[in-house]
Amino acid sequence: AFTEYDADIETAWIALAVARARVLLRRYWPHVQAVAGVLAERKRLSADDVALIFNETKPPDADGAGP
């Protein structure tokens, strides 16, 4: 049984989570910007609003400008 704290395993999981987040943000950055822009104007969005904005946003091109 695994009972001891293993910093190497924790570090690996965190690194994996960060890498996955970067991939998702790179892929969906235009969507994030679009939702953020509308949210800044309206101050509040429903889940349906977010879905509509997300679905109306074009995916990034092959260059994938983003974070």
Side-chain angles (χ1 to χ4, degrees):
F2 183 78
T3 56
E4 293 184 22
Y5 176 80
D6 190 335
D8 290 338
I9 292 174
E10 181 179 4
T11 299
W13 277 109
I14 291 170
L16 177 61
V18 168
R20 293 172 109 183
R22 285 185 177 142
V23 168
L24 288 171
L25 281 172
R26 199 170 293 122
R27 181 175 181 184
Y28 294 109
W29 190 244
H31 302 81
V32 172
Q33 289 179 310
V35 170
V38 175
L39 180 60
E41 292 173 6
R42 296 189 196 169
K43 307 297 183 210
R44 188 176 208 146
L45 296 173
S46 69
D48 288 339
D49 292 333
V50 173
L52 183 63
I53 296 163
F54 189 91
N55 290 329
E56 290 179 347
T57 302
K58 293 183 180 182
D61 58 16
D63 294 334

